Amino acid sequence: MKFPLSDIGSLSTPMLIKALDSDKEMGLSGKEVLLRQQQFGKNIIQKQNRTPWWKLLLEQFLNPLMFVLGLAVVVTFLFQDYLESAAILAVIFLNAGIGFYMEWQANVSMNALSALSEQQARVLREGYKQIINSSDITIGDVLLLEAGDIVGADGRVMEEINLAVNEAALTGESISVSKDFKNKNIVYKGTIVSRGKGKVLVTGIGGQTEIGKVAHLTQSAEKDSTPLEKKLIQLSKKLLWITLGITLLIILAGLWQGKEWYPLLTLAIALAIAAIPEGLPVVATIALARGMLRLAKNNVIVKRLSAVETLGETQVIFTDKTGTLTLNQMSVEKIVTDSGVYTDEFSEGDATLQKWIAAAALCNDSDGTEGDPLEVALIHFIKKQNFKHKKIIDSNKRIGEIPFDSATKMMGTLHLNEKKYIAYFKGATEVLLKKSNYILNKNNKKEVFTNKKDWEEKANQLAGEGYRVLAFAFREMEQPQTDFFKDVVFIGLVGLIDPPRTEVRESMEQCHRAGIEVIMATGDHPVTAQAIAQKIRMSQSGKEKTITGFELGDKTEKEILETNIFARVNPAQKLQLVSLYQQKNYTVAMTGDGINDSPALRKADIGIAMGMKGTEAARESADLVLKDDSFASIVLAIRQGRGILNNIKYFVVYLLSCNLSEIIIVSFAALTGLIPPLLPLQILFINMLTDVLPALALGMSREPESVMERPPRASGEPIVTRRNWIEIFGYAFGMTVSVLAIGFFAKYNLHYTDAKINHLIFLTLILAQLWHVFNLPEWGSSYLKNEITKNKYVWMALVACLIIAWSIYFIPVFQTILHLER
Ligand code: ATP
């Protein structure tokens, strides 16, 4: 095969298929696929904004701490304290190395995660439909498209039914473009199939696709910090200015007392080192990235780092029903036609039942093995009852269709049976009752439909028993008509069982305790929705308030905010609901699966798509993808999100209180002269020891049970609350007092030399800071058994730090560098 072809545009489709050596009905062979993948490479667009390693390394040198340290090197060098300069230089590189390693690790985790959320594509290979990773598509593949798919490669449409594609990703134009195989017959990678189906011959992959060619323009955007990281950076900056102020004051005081320049400069540097919480943003990033990995292990794929923190703040969850609260494993239980209710005796001779079977078999996109579980259930039922499924399919060729849409809540197909045209419909009861003028009576004759009210009642009754109810209808024609819905004949109803997920009840209870409101927004019948809500105890009181999509327009805001079930709502209404709650300052999570759910998923603070039943389009717009579709996973994710915020709070409080204690001790020594001051390198050492290992270990704690026992954090809440500041000052004060007390004791009772007192203060401060990790669990939790004492990393960090401190005490060269005297 010759490729690339210069004249793709001028070739007719059959010629193109030939030129690319492909086959419309069979697709490529496995061997050919491998050869082509080798020849043309993967179907991926190289990302250009991945930070190269050298840039990441360089960035480590560009922060306030590094500037201060650089200054320290210069000062010590000028005053000919070469050993000190060398030591500080070593610290600079060590620090950069640690920072680089940590960020690199965070990047590695995120890349691993983006691989998990890779797009899938349906292709025809060796005559079989296969689901593959989109990156494995190759030239000449036959791509099968359906509504909700993201087109995986550029290609030529060979067959289509009602195919339309939204090309906004490429053109910015949000109106869908109809595609047919005669004129507008090219589809592009990255665009979204908004309706219909198509069979496409792949002509371009990866960098040769249209979007690949413009990708370098759009991808150079800078990586954005998460709100949390921004808050932490702001906090660090604020602290830096405060320290600079204090430092200046102390230097002025020193000069006024007639002190020399060199000790004053060292003091200033010591203070600056003490005050800069350099670990904050990077430890936060690591905690978030680690959280993402843990969530991935629990079936939740997080696509945006900042989603982890928003999860912790979620106040309202809008959830759909089918598949999220229920198993989405359906089975047919009851069929109701004018002849009566069928529950277990199904006889082939019954004419109305025959019609129902034809409708269920034909107005159906599934073959019984894959597809919409509702449709699979219908086929299963037909096959299980030994009704002749294959014969029905073979004798009724499908020549047209109106695909299912959650806005219209129905689908239709048109068939040619010998010389007759028959359309079959299935969909929500209200919709089909409205469209039907006739009903198929028990004598298998159509008669004018006068008793619609009775049928509404029958549907309500089925729904009240917890069944998912679906209606069926048909229409016979001599010639295909343009007004599809004239003279439609109602056939009857089916009640399907879709059992609630067992784990959901426990998750609901967790939500109640955690102050999270759960609201069901479903396309299903209000009575079915209520029955399920009651089974899973969705509301604490057991009283469900329901509004349907038809009534929504007439309701006041207050009524809407008091409702916890919205039934028969369409995607546009879901968007309205999310917006209303957001206007009222709620942090909203919302689930969605269909292509039309994308706007609401984007609008919600946390958009959640389904990994199993969702469309690629929904997954693309979401922040979170649930691999198992289950509501319980959402609650688990919120729990972990809260846990991560909790951990971040731990180490913020820890780092700031440690740093503050250093500042107070150094300032006290400088201002009063009562005890010898800690030297810059000593402070640097203490910081390297306590800011890195224990702080990292704190970020890995499990969430305490109590995280789900309290209401959600307010979304605007600062990272360090007033209460946290009180804690920080309290702990810092406690550590300072103990260290100073020991210093004074050594001075006035033991009469140690200044050098020895300095050594004692140095060691005491290290031990005080290490011990301080045990202060962090919440007030009221057990001092011996809590998430810190249960965290093995904390113990490992403490042991490592103690060993390092111990080696300093015993290894002479370190003592010389750090000016410690025994
Ligand atoms: P949820 O929104 O909780 O997932 P749902 O699956 O009922 O519930 P939609 O998918 O929007 O929501 O479906 C709305 C209604 O359309 C259903 O209640 C059903 O009556 C009808 N329906 C669902 N699937 C099909 C289908 N494949 N063919 C025809 N009608 C369908």
Side-chain angles (χ1 to χ4, degrees):
M1 182 190 71
K2 188 164 84 52
F3 195 83
L5 303 169
S6 52
D7 47 355
I8 289 186
S10 62
L11 290 179
S12 72
T13 302
M15 280 162 75
L16 190 61
I17 297 174
K18 209 162 162 226
L20 294 183
D21 213 357
S22 188
D23 186 309
K24 194 165 137 191
E25 304 307 325
M26 300 295 288
L28 296 175
S29 71
K31 214 170 108 196
E32 191 62 26
V33 166
L34 287 178
L35 278 175
R36 292 184 188 205
Q37 281 173 344
Q38 269 176 11
Q39 187 181 352
F40 304 120
K42 286 235 162 207
N43 176 29
I44 40 177
I45 298 169
Q46 287 299 337
K47 289 210 172 122
Q48 310 209 336
N49 66 339
R50 197 162 286 169
T51 323
W53 66 268
W54 54 267
K55 208 166 156 201
L56 203 63
L57 187 62
L58 212 63
E59 276 170 9
Q60 306 305 320
F61 292 93
L62 304 176
N63 66 49
L65 179 73
M66 290 300 201
F67 292 142
V68 172
L69 292 180
L71 194 69
V73 174
V74 175
V75 170
T76 48
F77 192 80
L78 287 180
F79 284 90
Q80 294 169 359
D81 203 343
Y82 300 125
L83 190 65
E84 188 112 354
S85 327
I88 301 178
L89 215 53
V91 169
I92 290 184
F93 284 102
L94 187 64
N95 210 353
I98 295 174
F100 172 73
Y101 176 75
M102 297 207 290
E103 271 201 46
W104 189 256
Q105 283 298 313
N107 273 4
V108 168
S109 334
M110 311 236 276
N111 291 344
L113 281 168
S114 62
L116 279 180
S117 55
E118 204 195 328
Q119 275 170 24
Q120 310 272 298
R122 243 169 282 107
V123 290
L124 201 61
R125 283 181 182 169
E126 309 206 315
Y128 293 101
K129 194 156 112 181
Q130 296 183 10
I131 295 180
I132 59 167
N133 280 341
S134 184
S135 60
D136 289 331
I137 300 176
T138 193
I139 301 289
D141 254 329
V142 175
L143 203 57
L144 304 170
L145 297 179
E146 273 179 21
D149 284 355
I150 295 179
V151 180
D154 283 5
R156 174 80 65 93
V157 179
M158 302 183 284
E159 269 175 24
E160 55 86 34
I161 301 172
N162 212 6
L163 183 68
V165 176
N166 183 322
E167 296 181 343
L170 201 60
T171 60
E173 186 65 57
S174 63
I175 296 168
S176 294
V177 188
S178 293
K179 298 282 174 181
D180 55 46
F181 57 92
K182 291 179 210 96
N183 302 314
K184 296 181 184 159
N185 59 4
I186 297 173
V187 289
Y188 302 102
K189 180 175 168 72
T191 57
I192 296 173
V193 182
S194 50
R195 68 173 147 78
K197 287 183 190 170
K199 208 184 225 189
V200 167
L201 177 72
V202 173
T203 55
I205 59 169
Q208 312 136 12
T209 57
E210 286 305 311
I211 198 151
K213 286 180 202 156
V214 294
H216 66 279
L217 297 178
T218 49
Q219 281 184 354
S220 49
E222 282 293 301
K223 173 189 127 207
D224 224 8
S225 305
T226 71
L228 186 78
E229 287 171 313
K230 279 190 195 140
K231 275 187 200 165
L232 289 175
I233 291 169
Q234 265 169 13
L235 180 70
S236 306
K237 278 193 184 146
K238 220 189 261 170
L239 291 175
L240 189 67
W241 284 114
I242 295 176
T243 327
L244 282 181
I246 298 178
T247 314
L248 202 67
L249 271 181
I250 289 183
I251 291 185
L252 287 178
L255 285 177
W256 190 63
Q257 288 171 350
K259 285 191 182 158
E260 279 180 43
W261 267 104
Y262 186 56
L264 278 179
L265 276 179
T266 14
L267 174 70
I269 290 168
L271 272 175
I273 293 172
I276 300 170
E278 69 280 3
L280 272 190
V282 65
V283 178
T285 312
I286 290 184
L288 291 175
R290 220 189 91 84
M292 285 171 88
L293 276 181
R294 258 182 75 197
L295 283 169
K297 283 197 196 115
N298 287 306
N299 289 325
V300 180
I301 295 173
V302 181
K303 292 177 46 197
R304 209 161 39 84
L305 201 55
S306 57
V308 179
E309 51 185 289
T310 323
L311 262 176
E313 295 167 354
T314 304
Q315 294 165 312
V316 180
I317 309 175
F318 275 93
T319 172
D320 58 8
K321 174 180 69 66
T322 313
T324 318
L325 301 176
T326 66
L327 284 170
N328 209 9
Q329 285 165 6
M330 298 193 212
S331 54
V332 172
E333 290 282 314
K334 280 188 183 173
I335 298 167
V336 188
T337 68
D338 198 41
S339 313
V341 182
Y342 303 85
T343 44
D344 40 21
E345 298 248 324
F346 299 93
S347 108
E348 222 179 323
D350 195 319
T352 50
L353 185 63
Q354 278 301 314
K355 202 71 192 167
W356 181 85
I357 290 162
L362 294 170
C363 187
N364 195 317
D365 284 330
S366 167
D367 58 1
T369 54
E370 57 164 4
D372 181 349
L374 184 152
E375 301 195 329
V376 174
L378 294 174
I379 307 281
H380 263 199
F381 170 80
I382 294 171
K383 289 186 173 166
K384 204 173 99 198
Q385 298 296 332
N386 284 328
F387 297 134
K388 300 189 177 60
H389 178 250
K390 189 167 177 341
K391 195 172 151 209
I392 303 172
I393 299 285
D394 290 345
S395 52
N396 290 276
K397 189 173 160 25
R398 189 193 282 197
I399 52 172
E401 67 182 50
I402 311 170
F404 171 71
D405 183 335
S406 50
T408 60
K409 299 188 173 51
M410 59 157 292
M411 80 176 266
T413 51
L414 181 63
H415 302 265
L416 182 60
N417 181 337
E418 288 170 7
K419 289 209 171 111
K420 255 196 314 201
Y421 292 90
I422 312 183
Y424 288 101
F425 306 98
K426 77 174 191 302
T429 323
E430 308 90 290
V431 176
L432 287 193
L433 278 179
K434 210 166 167 191
K435 297 210 184 297
S436 305
N437 305 335
Y438 298 93
I439 180 167
L440 188 71
N441 69 17
K442 43 172 108 43
N443 305 321
N444 203 27
K445 293 272 176 320
K446 71 174 191 183
E447 71 178 38
V448 177
F449 202 175
T450 49
N451 56 342
K452 285 191 186 178
K453 274 261 164 313
D454 295 349
W455 280 94
E456 252 168 48
E457 201 38 53
K458 283 179 194 174
N460 273 342
Q461 212 174 347
L462 280 178
E465 292 164 36
Y467 292 115
R468 189 171 157 81
V469 186
L470 206 64
F472 292 82
F474 76 103
R475 177 190 178 188
E476 282 174 343
M477 296 161 270
E478 295 303 322
Q479 284 301 319
Q481 307 286 325
T482 43
D483 55 345
F484 230 55
F485 294 112
K486 229 176 117 205
D487 302 333
V488 172
V489 187
F490 192 79
I491 305 172
L493 304 171
V494 63
L496 298 117
I497 279 215
D498 179 14
R501 290 173 176 269
T502 43
E503 71 277 16
V504 166
R505 210 154 139 171
E506 162 61 26
S507 311
M508 284 297 161
E509 270 168 32
Q510 282 194 32
C511 287
H512 298 155
R513 287 201 298 272
I516 300 167
E517 204 178 329
V518 184
I519 299 173
M520 193 196 286
T522 174
D524 212 340
H525 193 285
V527 182
T528 313
Q530 275 169 349
I532 295 288
Q534 266 155 15
K535 276 192 194 150
I536 56 168
R537 301 245 171 92
M538 203 174 84
S539 77
Q540 228 161 347
S541 62
K543 288 201 186 91
E544 322 292 348
K545 281 198 176 169
T546 313
I547 292 181
T548 64
F550 311 110
E551 303 160 343
L552 201 57
D554 303 329
K555 298 287 176 183
T556 62
E557 269 185 10
K558 184 162 175 285
E559 283 169 317
I560 295 176
L561 292 171
E562 283 169 354
T563 302
N564 62 349
I565 298 178
F566 295 90
R568 289 292 191 230
V569 283
N570 58 36
Q573 290 170 322
K574 286 192 198 173
L575 179 64
Q576 269 175 22
L577 289 172
V578 169
S579 310
L580 176 67
Y581 268 82
Q582 282 181 329
Q583 273 165 27
K584 303 282 166 205
N585 281 333
Y586 286 96
T587 305
V588 181
M590 127 122 210
T591 67
D593 47 27
I595 170 166
N596 301 331
D597 287 331
S598 292
L601 287 175
R602 287 221 170 87
K603 175 88 176 108
D605 301 282
I606 295 277
I608 306 170
M610 303 299 149
M612 279 154 67
K613 72 166 179 168
T615 54
E616 282 292 346
R619 284 196 278 274
E620 171 85 4
S621 318
D623 304 303
L624 242 62
V625 179
L626 303 182
K627 280 209 285 196
D628 61 355
D629 291 9
S630 172
F631 181 79
S633 301
I634 306 177
V635 180
L636 192 92
I638 292 182
R639 185 194 176 93
Q640 294 197 2
R642 285 185 177 197
I644 289 163
L645 288 180
N646 206 48
N647 286 346
I648 289 176
K649 190 146 268 189
Y650 280 159
F651 66 68
V652 170
V653 169
Y654 179 73
L655 286 184
L656 294 190
S657 42
C658 287
N659 286 7
L660 190 61
S661 68
E662 290 160 19
I663 296 177
I664 305 179
I665 290 171
V666 173
S667 312
F668 180 83
L671 289 175
T672 64
L674 290 177
I675 50 158
L678 287 168
L679 304 173
L681 262 182
Q682 294 172 345
I683 297 231
L684 198 54
F685 179 82
I686 299 178
N687 267 359
M688 294 282 293
L689 204 63
T690 58
D691 279 12
V692 178
L693 293 178
L696 266 182
L698 285 174
M700 306 218 183
S701 303
R702 291 262 153 193
E703 63 279 357
E705 273 309 309
S706 60
V707 287
M708 291 303 264
E709 305 286 338
R710 56 181 179 225
R713 208 177 90 117
S715 70
E717 191 179 298
I719 188 79
V720 185
T721 58
R722 180 190 288 253
R723 196 196 143 118
N724 294 139
W725 279 119
I726 294 173
E727 285 172 355
I728 290 170
F729 274 89
Y731 290 136
F733 189 70
M735 282 190 279
T736 310
V737 168
S738 3
V739 171
L740 290 182
I742 285 192
F744 284 138
F745 183 76
K747 182 165 173 173
Y748 296 111
N749 285 49
L750 304 177
H751 306 292
Y752 278 11
T753 59
D754 266 6
K756 261 192 168 172
I757 299 175
N758 167 273
H759 196 165
L760 197 61
I761 289 180
F762 171 77
L763 286 177
T764 316
L765 187 56
I766 291 181
L767 291 179
Q769 293 195 350
L770 292 182
W771 182 255
H772 179 38
V773 292
F774 296 114
N775 286 325
L776 295 170
E778 247 163 70
W779 290 95
S781 53
S782 149
Y783 203 79
L784 293 179
K785 242 177 131 184
N786 53 52
E787 62 284 359
I788 304 281
T789 55
K790 279 191 250 166
N791 178 346
K792 66 170 189 255
Y793 297 105
V794 166
W795 292 105
M796 278 154 59
L798 289 184
V799 170
C801 289
L802 284 176
I803 291 175
I804 297 173
W806 180 81
S807 60
I808 295 290
Y809 186 75
F810 284 104
I811 299 173
V813 53
F814 286 134
Q815 289 170 19
T816 319
I817 297 173
L818 290 170
H819 302 292
L820 294 170
E821 208 171 280
R822 283 169 67 181

